[in-house]
Amino acid sequence: AQSVTQLDSQVPVFEEAPVELRCNYSSSVSVYLFWYVQYPNQGLQLLLKYLSGSTLVESINGFEAEFNKSQTSFHLRKPSVHISDTAEYFCAVSLTSGGYNKLIFGAGTRLAVHP
Amino acid sequence: KAGVTQTPRYLIKTRGQQVTLSCSPISGHRSVSWYQQTPGQGLQFLFEYFSETQRNKGNFPGRFSGRQFSNSRSEMNVSTLELGDSALYLCASSLAAGEDYNSPLHFGNGTRLTVT
């Protein structure tokens, strides 16, 4: 079975500071990796995903995540955060075969950006 | 292009009742998945439908059921409601079956169900 652990439930940070949201996963088979963001009273939006190829993936709004197979991690980073980045962030995995849309989510990390 | 639409947005029901939630996927999307989000259990996969067939199922009791229509719209039904069924129910659609790796899940804003 697969599982996802997000090591921090809450991360407070000041505006323009760097941030890292940590994600570790456990799986006996190969998986795809995702980061989703959820703003208050909204659904989830895909931030970025790792399917194959380069282990460093980037989103259009400055986030990046690096797949580390040996450490089974997929940490999310941003060098300089904005107030608008305040949201809950979810790391997720899915099977590479027969279950792409069946996501297993971590518990989420609430990012609070302060001025 | 309109996003994933879920109705109703909010719902209050009493224990023992049943409820039906509706999801209209993005036009052209054939896969619809349902997730339950609660503070205690987080986000959990309920089931996925593709071309009116259930492709994957999560670990929920049989009180939770769903279906998909020929126009890809989907409904989710919960019978004999329990207090623990109070949650945000999210629907997500994607363009194709699971082999299209470039087809991400698009989530709706959810239906918040409160069971009293």
Side-chain angles (χ1 to χ4, degrees):
Chain A
Q2 294 74 42
S3 67
V4 178
T5 302
Q6 291 185 243
L7 296 158
D8 306 294
S9 59
Q10 295 187 62
V11 173
V13 64
F14 287 108
E15 195 173 18
E16 297 184 5
V19 70
E20 178 180 80
L21 307 184
R22 297 178 292 169
C23 172
N24 285 90
Y25 69 94
S26 173
S27 177
S28 58
V29 297
S30 61
V31 295
Y32 296 129
L33 296 150
F34 306 83
W35 275 99
Y36 281 83
V37 59
Q38 186 176 33
Y39 298 100
N41 298 315
Q42 293 187 23
L44 281 75
Q45 300 174 30
L46 178 65
L47 201 55
L48 42 76
K49 61 185 177 183
Y50 173 77
L51 304 179
S52 64
S54 172
T55 57
L56 184 65
V57 290
E58 298 176 354
S59 72
I60 57 173
N61 55 357
F63 283 95
E64 64 178 32
E66 186 158 20
F67 169 56
N68 187 318
K69 189 174 182 179
S70 62
Q71 296 185 7
T72 59
S73 67
F74 191 54
H75 301 330
L76 181 70
R77 301 183 184 96
K78 189 169 185 180
S80 176
V81 294
H82 302 288
I83 296 286
S84 59
D85 293 324
T86 295
E88 189 147 23
Y89 292 79
F90 293 93
C91 182
V93 302
S94 72
L95 297 177
T96 60
S97 175
Y100 179 73
N101 289 333
K102 180 180 178 180
L103 295 174
I104 297 162
F105 285 92
T109 296
R110 193 171 298 275
L111 176 64
V113 181
H114 302 284
Chain B
K1 207 174 196 182
V4 177
T5 304
Q6 292 188 246
T7 56
R9 193 82 166 85
Y10 300 93
L11 207 48
I12 300 175
K13 290 286 188 179
T14 304
R15 267 181 304 175
Q17 288 186 314
Q18 75 164 15
V19 67
T20 298
L21 312 182
S22 179
C23 173
S24 292
I26 291 173
S27 178
H29 285 196
R30 298 169 65 193
S31 167
V32 174
S33 305
W34 289 89
Y35 289 81
Q36 181 196 63
Q37 185 176 23
T38 60
Q41 300 298 317
L43 281 153
Q44 293 185 283
F45 173 80
L46 280 154
F47 27 65
E48 181 203 4
Y49 287 87
F50 177 77
S51 291
E52 303 178 64
T53 301
Q54 189 180 85
R55 275 170 25 102
N56 278 298
K57 190 177 190 306
N59 295 323
F60 279 80
R63 299 186 298 106
F64 292 81
S65 63
R67 59 177 176 168
Q68 186 181 33
F69 302 95
S70 57
N71 62 358
S72 293
R73 191 177 70 86
S74 176
E75 286 182 349
M76 191 193 99
N77 185 275
V78 188
S79 62
T80 321
L81 283 166
E82 300 176 359
L83 294 178
D85 297 333
S86 294
L88 180 67
Y89 290 89
L90 293 166
C91 168
S93 73
S94 70
L95 187 61
E99 307 314 313
D100 183 344
Y101 305 146
N102 291 317
S103 174
L105 281 178
H106 295 263
F107 282 83
N109 287 334
T111 293
R112 186 164 297 280
L113 171 65
T114 302
V115 182
T116 62

